[in-house]
Structure formats: structure tokens, C-alpha cells
Amino acid sequence: MTDWSTCPAVESVSDRLSGAWVFTGTRVPVSALFGNLAEGATVEEFLDWFPGVEEWQVKAVLEHEEKNLEVHVNR
């Protein structure tokens, strides 16, 4: 499981979506990005569908997850 607490592009607020990790300043869960990408959406489409999310946030989330996966693969 990814530790999102060190990613500056996301936040978890207990009274927002039950504390789910969301893109900072939005109600868009991080899981929405991965779900949409898994279904074949592009980053550009995701950004169009969720206008409150900024491109730098998506890039930061993807880079954070990439680093997380590298750590787990190299164990």
C-alpha cells in the first residue's frame, strides 16, 4: 500500500470523503486517477473530466507511485 503522506499533491482530510486521499484542494480521490487510467483514459482526458486537478498534481502522484513500486519490486 502506498504511503501518500509524503506526496505534496494530495491530502487526506477526515471530514472530506471519509479521509480518502484526494488531490489537494479538491474532492477528487487519487483512486479516480488510477481507475480511469486502468480503463484506458489518458492523463489529458482525466484532467478534462476533473478540472480542479492540475497537471503537476497528476505527475506528482504518478511519480510517487512509481517510486513506491520500485521499492517494493527491489525488496
Side-chain angles (χ1 to χ4, degrees):
M1 184 169 213
T2 303
D3 176 10
W4 292 107
S5 66
T6 60
C7 181
V10 300
E11 62 187 354
S12 175
V13 180
S14 61
D15 63 346
R16 189 181 310 152
L17 292 176
S18 300
W21 286 99
V22 297
F23 289 92
T24 302
T26 75
R27 295 181 57 84
V28 180
V30 172
S31 62
L33 171 63
F34 292 107
N36 278 281
L37 292 177
E39 292 294 321
T42 65
V43 169
E44 291 78 18
E45 288 172 326
F46 180 82
L47 291 168
D48 285 343
W49 298 334
F50 299 95
V53 179
E54 297 182 32
E55 184 176 3
W56 75 266
Q57 291 175 301
V58 171
K59 288 181 180 181
V61 163
L62 294 174
E63 288 171 3
H64 187 82
E65 183 64 4
E66 179 182 29
K67 289 177 187 172
N68 180 62
L69 290 171
E70 287 174 0
V71 167
H72 285 87
V73 168
N74 291 327
R75 285 187 175 175

